[in-house]
Amino acid sequence: MSRALEAARATARRLEAAAPLNAVLHWSAAELEAEARRADAQAPAGALYGVPIAVKDNIVTTEAPTTCASRILEGFVSPFEATATRRLRAAGALIAAKTNLDEFAMGSSTEHSAFGRVHHPLDPALVPGGSSGGSAALVAAGVVPAALGSETGGSVRQPAAFCGVVGVKPGYGRVSRAGLVAFGSSLDCISAFGRTVADAAAVLAAMSGHDPDDATTIPEPPLAPPVARADLRGLVIGLPREYLPGDLDAGVRAGVDRAVEAMRGLGATIREVSLPHARYAVPTYYVIAPAEAASNLARYDGARYGVRRLGPAGDLASLYRTTRGEGFGLEVRRRILVGTYVLSAGYYDAYYRKAQQVRALIADDFRRVFAAGTDLLFTPTTPTTAFRAGANTADPVAMYLADVFVCAASLAGIPAMSLPIGRAEGLPVGGQLIAPERGESLMLAAAGALEAALDGTAEVR
Ligand code: GLN
């Protein structure tokens, strides 16, 4: 039996055993074996030969349905393949499963899925984070070594932190969005999860690079896998004081302190810096992302994709109203309403235009700090460890605040990642590295050095 076929069969067994997590929306043993045969037919074998990779179900593949965890896309199978998954397959990877998510990637806990919530692999009462919670949980549970997620405002870094795995958001335009179902088009980035920095970096490298099917991709060849470094000598790491508030969760604080000591031990110069507009990141994100979502989601009208409900009056307006009313979940409807409101005449200047102005200030904060000699920034990824299911569902603002440390880098379009830096009361704590534009390689190399110097699973309190 080929190595790819062996990997396919072992993955199928693990997927079966992982069913209680509810992390998967679609997989089949037969498709996995077909993937292995396809990889075996490639010569020479690619860099990811036989590596099973799970894919968030808002990235289109032609063999499987794509649901975005929404009723409105029930039965939809894409006629074309995403550039990212096409490139992973070309590198020999096996697309193993389509993973559960918050509906249309809107959420921070994977509780807003039309197909039920995803359970945290360490404790089923907890959430895995979101919106790429299914991918994060599968990697954390050891079902696959790597997975794809998508980031609009933290949806890979935040679940990576909650689940104790690595999550890497590249800079905007580094990976093609062709085949990623649009949420906030100026923010969306296909991103990678891995058990290790090297695994996530290899996946990112394989899918990166210019793509004629996405005019916003950076006109550069694919990223080279980062050159490993043994230390951080010569690097200045900035700690933004706005990301280390006095009331930060004690376990998260202990993890950050230990990671900072480790970076110092590796020879980095640690410097306090300031990003004065950081506190506006969440409100800015929650104007811009819903505005773009309201526009992008207008295409689900009952006529073009998936579900079609004619409605009582039998006319066009009734078709739209009934299909959208029944097809979209509560959080998606909330985003469409907010987005439509902030774009409407009379409110556009007060909300949408203002948010765009503040977005520019947030990006300037980063530019200024990097221009002044800071190579990378280090922050906690999340304000707390994984929370209990139901804890934030009644209060959308409480849920949105789970993104307080991750959405600024999304608004600025710069690379950022989370890696495990320890555990507090048994639960993973994530540390975030943020890099300047086109700084993916430096960021990944520094993360690799930190990962090697720290036991990411050790108790920190
Ligand atoms: N949690 C954020 C939201 O709900 C981010 C989502 C994402 O990055 N896809 O919009």
Side-chain angles (χ1 to χ4, degrees):
M1 194 181 347
S2 77
R3 273 202 299 128
L5 198 54
E6 253 171 64
R9 292 198 176 150
T11 306
R13 283 193 295 276
R14 291 191 298 266
L15 279 164
E16 211 154 322
L21 295 174
N22 197 33
V24 173
L25 295 180
H26 177 90
W27 76 279
S28 95
E31 277 167 33
L32 253 166
E33 295 205 0
E35 288 286 286
R37 281 193 297 276
R38 187 192 40 70
D40 278 328
Q42 292 171 350
L48 298 176
Y49 168 75
V51 177
I53 297 180
V55 174
K56 187 178 184 179
D57 203 26
N58 62 346
I59 298 171
V60 302
T61 51
T62 45
E63 287 80 7
T66 298
T67 65
C68 293
S70 182
R71 295 267 171 230
I72 211 158
L73 277 175
E74 226 167 308
F76 172 71
V77 180
S78 171
F80 71 97
E81 175 89 12
T83 299
T85 50
R86 188 161 37 77
R87 287 182 179 174
L88 293 181
R89 286 188 160 126
L94 320 179
I95 302 303
K98 299 297 289 289
T99 62
N100 202 352
L101 65 151
D102 282 299
E103 186 176 359
F104 283 103
M106 296 173 189
S108 308
S109 66
T110 320
E111 291 170 286
H112 301 310
S113 164
F115 305 108
R117 72 178 180 93
V118 175
H119 299 262
H120 193 293
L122 293 175
D123 178 349
L126 302 178
V127 303
S131 63
S132 314
S135 288
L138 281 191
V139 174
V143 176
V144 284
L148 299 192
S150 68
E151 277 246 5
T152 303
S155 277
V156 164
R157 286 165 287 157
Q158 188 257 21
F162 277 13
C163 289
V165 300
V166 174
V168 185
K169 182 193 94 70
Y172 183 78
R174 183 62 82 184
V175 175
S176 172
R177 288 182 293 117
L180 169 64
V181 176
F183 166 6
S185 304
S186 76
L187 297 154
D188 295 342
C189 292
I190 292 183
S191 303
F193 289 102
R195 297 255 278 187
T196 63
V197 174
D199 286 354
V203 170
L204 185 65
M207 50 182 191
S208 65
H210 181 253
D211 177 19
D213 290 339
D214 174 1
T216 62
T217 47
I218 301 171
E220 280 182 17
L223 286 171
V227 181
R229 46 189 301 162
D231 59 51
L232 299 177
R233 259 190 278 273
L235 287 185
V236 177
I237 311 275
L239 306 182
R241 72 170 76 93
E242 293 80 3
Y243 284 68
L244 294 163
D247 59 354
L248 186 64
D249 174 88
V252 173
R253 159 81 58 177
V256 169
D257 288 347
R258 192 177 71 118
V260 169
E261 271 329 297
M263 291 190 285
R264 219 177 247 127
L266 288 167
T269 303
I270 308 292
R271 174 192 284 174
E272 189 184 279
V273 299
S274 175
L275 300 166
H277 299 94
R279 66 200 189 91
Y280 302 115
V282 167
T284 303
Y285 171 82
Y286 279 97
V287 170
I288 292 174
E292 296 186 12
S295 164
N296 276 321
L297 270 56
R299 63 172 65 97
Y300 307 104
D301 56 5
R304 282 179 281 186
Y305 307 89
V307 167
R308 175 185 183 85
R309 300 269 152 72
L310 202 47
D315 61 2
L316 191 62
S318 174
L319 166 76
Y320 290 164
R321 208 175 311 117
T322 314
T323 302
R324 291 167 69 78
E326 291 178 9
F328 287 134
L330 245 184
E331 182 61 24
V332 174
R333 279 183 275 159
R334 179 169 16 240
R335 303 284 178 111
I336 292 172
L337 289 171
V338 169
T340 305
Y341 179 83
V342 301
L343 289 173
S344 58
Y347 296 104
Y348 182 96
D349 287 326
Y351 294 107
Y352 184 71
R353 189 190 304 280
K354 178 63 73 188
Q356 292 290 20
Q357 289 163 340
V358 179
R359 180 181 190 172
L361 295 174
I362 289 168
D364 273 349
D365 277 358
F366 286 114
R367 246 179 252 123
R368 201 176 25 74
V369 164
F370 289 127
T374 297
D375 296 295
L376 295 167
L377 297 170
F378 185 77
T379 80
T381 308
T382 52
T384 64
T385 53
F387 49 83
R388 298 187 79 75
N392 289 330
T393 36
D395 178 358
V397 175
M399 186 73 88
Y400 298 169
L401 285 172
D403 303 326
V404 61
F405 300 145
V406 284
C407 59
S410 298
L411 289 165
I414 54 182
M417 66 180 289
S418 180
L419 76 162
I421 55 171
R423 297 205 172 178
E425 283 158 15
L427 293 180
V429 178
Q432 176 175 230
L433 284 165
I434 304 177
E437 216 170 289
R438 306 193 188 198
E440 285 93 346
S441 300
L442 175 68
M443 175 180 83
L444 289 162
L450 181 57
E451 174 186 58
L454 264 187
D455 176 359
T457 59
E459 240 344 272
V460 289
R461 297 182 68 200

